[in-house]
Amino acid sequence: MSDKKIAILGTGANGASVGADLTRAGLDVTLIEQWPANVEAMRAHGITVETPDGTTRTPVRAIHLCDVATLRERFDVVFLVVKAYDTRWACELVKPYVKPDGLVVGLQNGMTVDVVRDVMGPARSLAAVIEIAAAMWEPGLVERHTPPSGTWFALGADAPAARGREKEVADLLRHAGTVETVEDIRSAKWMKLVVNAAELVPSAILDLPLKAAAEVPGMHEFMLRAGKEAVRAAVAGGHRIVPIFGLRDVDPAAPERFVEVMLDAVYTRWSLPHTKTTVLQDWQKGRHSEVDELNGFVLAEHRRLLGDAPANARTVELAHRIESGDLPARPSNAELLLASL
């Protein structure tokens, strides 16, 4: 058993799931959370995780964000599971509580590699790709649609100074899912961004679960187009087509086919009929989403390297209208999305 001190910073659905798994494995885990009611629920009742395999309740150590300043211990590993737009301040918050040889690992969507590396330094940062479907609507209660047997992580060092340390973190994360160590973590994160650009925001704009959104006439084709724009931007930026999610049926010479394969896998292997994307969950909670870190990032890179990306541009435009209150998320928005094709 590892004697490492571990922190999970951000315990929404994904962070709480991982934190519960690591705690049940007997590891020394502290959960740090910014939603006060969630902290109080975890303190009182632990974390309840409902999966297709059954329900577990795990007593955990949870602290409020404001209580970080009272910590006297330092952590060996901090898993950052906050939204991509919260990465910088979260890294700065936890930096004084990471051991000199400790690591911060971003278990996040979006290209947060540079932010973590900038704050923590190249020797103390690892990047990751995560594939898990989960939701949290009530404090302390997770609906985990993919149990550990279906959860997947990729780990990698973006700088030579951290290479060789992936195993330390992989040994921990294997309690929560399958873990692969990859050499080109930037390309792997770009491949996840390709998938996210195709499905997270476009389906949320329709206010529908992912599978239902994909079944709206024309939407599957639109989502493929958004993903193909993203993969073209990735290739133009010098990134490689690499397998993710443990799927090996990937042809580096056929980047657009990659989008089709991965999107179908998300539909069939990681989504239940009622699975809502993280973006839709955010909007239904009245929260800002990661659209600027997902489709917005793709759009900026595509415009910089190749010119306009109409599907991603329309996705960003409508998402901003929804977040400003100018447009409700609703199924009829499919017509507005498809007008860009």
Side-chain angles (χ1 to χ4, degrees), residues 80-97:
L80 204 62
V81 205
V82 296
K83 296 294 183 181
Y85 53 74
D86 285 332
T87 302
R88 185 170 294 276
W89 70 256
C91 280
E92 293 286 5
L93 174 77
V94 79
K95 183 178 180 179
Y97 308 99

Side-chain angles (χ1 to χ4, degrees), residues 275-292:
T275 297
K276 298 177 180 179
T277 70
T278 58
V279 172
L280 183 54
Q281 292 180 47
D282 286 336
W283 286 348
Q284 292 186 342
K285 296 172 185 175
R287 293 176 49 126
H288 174 53
S289 77
E290 295 174 305
V291 59
D292 292 325

Side-chain angles (χ1 to χ4, degrees), residues 237-257:
H239 302 286
R240 298 185 301 119
I241 307 301
V242 297
I244 57 174
F245 305 168
L247 302 177
R248 301 301 174 194
D249 183 22
V250 174
D251 181 357
E256 297 196 4
R257 174 61 180 159

Side-chain angles (χ1 to χ4, degrees), residues 28-42:
D28 184 343
V29 182
T30 300
L31 280 65
I32 305 170
E33 170 61 14
Q34 59 183 316
W35 181 15
N38 195 22
V39 174
E40 295 306 318
M42 290 190 290

